[in-house]
Amino acid sequence: MYIPKEVLELMDRLEDSGHECWAVGGCVRDWLMGIEPHDYDCCTAATPEQMQEIFSDRQLVLAGLKHGTVGVVTEGGVVEITTFRTEGGYADSRHPDWVRFVRELREDLARRDFTVNAMAYSPRRGLADPFGGREDLKNGLLRAVGDPAQRFREDALRILRGLRFAARFGFAIEPQTLSAMHAEAAGLDALAKERVLTELTGFVCCARAADLGAGSALLCRVLPELGPCIGFDQHNRNHTHDVFGHIAAVVELLPPVPELRFAALLHDVGKPKIFS
């Protein structure tokens, strides 16, 4: 796996100080898919205090310190390095209720959302894939790590993230994972609207009509205006779809510009209400 020199330098410094350090998450997934990663996150056995000492000669960003994250400013941008950790649920729908630092990489990977995001890579140790993410990538399958209902209860935003990943990469959602997404959908109601908008925008901008159809029930949980459009016959010889199907087809035809796609997504939501 190619790792930029400024990231590799930080990893080597931690390793030379006696602390494991791994590139983790999306960068590993993208590399295995043949996609050039846009950013590199790392995790390490070093505590936040040890990282601050090891990088005392560097400019640091410490906004995430209580959650174990130290940002190191490099010529390529800020590289976030997080101590191996487990965490509790998200009662405020934004931050974990508690964080406990651990010594083992596997415990850290076990808290992550989907198997394809629960892989890590070390130039000194190779690929770590305790939950079968590489095989799921090969099979085009999106599967939650461990108990899927528990993953979505911890953070319901993962439900929308699952829709986004499935649409972006053309993954099928593993049946138990999909069932849990629907069963835990009420958790979406408590999320901070800013978090919902970020994931929803990502999904809408990469979704095809089929993705919108498959995710329609979950989509309507955050945009209830779309609900009456599903199955609503337009009684119009110029339309071959129901209202929702027409909306989805229009969304797919547009470039992935948020303003355009959201305009298309909502452009006919008034039809069921004013139909005569």
Side-chain angles (χ1 to χ4, degrees), residues 94-155:
R94 189 181 295 270
H95 303 109
D97 297 339
W98 53 264
V99 167
R100 178 170 61 85
F101 300 137
V102 296
R103 295 296 302 171
E104 298 296 327
L105 172 67
R106 192 183 193 283
E107 290 185 78
D108 182 272
L109 296 178
R111 71 177 172 84
R112 297 174 184 266
D113 51 10
F114 302 104
T115 61
V116 296
N117 296 328
M119 296 181 285
Y121 178 81
S122 163
R124 304 190 185 197
R125 298 174 184 83
L127 180 69
D129 179 20
F131 303 105
R134 190 172 195 172
E135 186 68 16
D136 284 343
L137 275 182
K138 178 182 176 182
N139 294 325
L141 197 63
L142 191 69
R143 181 195 309 270
V145 174
D147 177 7
Q150 180 64 27
R151 295 288 81 78
F152 300 130
R153 283 195 291 267
E154 289 167 351
D155 185 4

Side-chain angles (χ1 to χ4, degrees), residues 31-73:
W31 166 62
L32 288 172
M33 295 182 69
I35 301 170
E36 182 179 356
H38 293 296
D39 58 78
Y40 292 79
D41 293 324
C42 297
C43 60
T44 181
T47 66
E49 292 75 21
Q50 289 169 329
M51 283 193 277
Q52 289 180 82
E53 181 178 349
I54 291 168
F55 299 117
S56 60
D57 61 328
R58 306 291 290 268
Q59 182 181 353
L60 303 179
V61 178
L62 302 177
L65 192 62
K66 69 178 182 178
H67 297 121
T69 299
V70 172
V72 184
V73 178

Side-chain angles (χ1 to χ4, degrees), residues 7 21 41 62 100 106 108 158 160 162 173 187 216 252 254:
V7 179
C21 187
D41 293 324
L62 302 177
R100 178 170 61 85
R106 192 183 193 283
D108 182 272
R158 290 168 171 168
L160 295 180
I173 301 176
S216 60
E252 180 176 346
L254 290 172

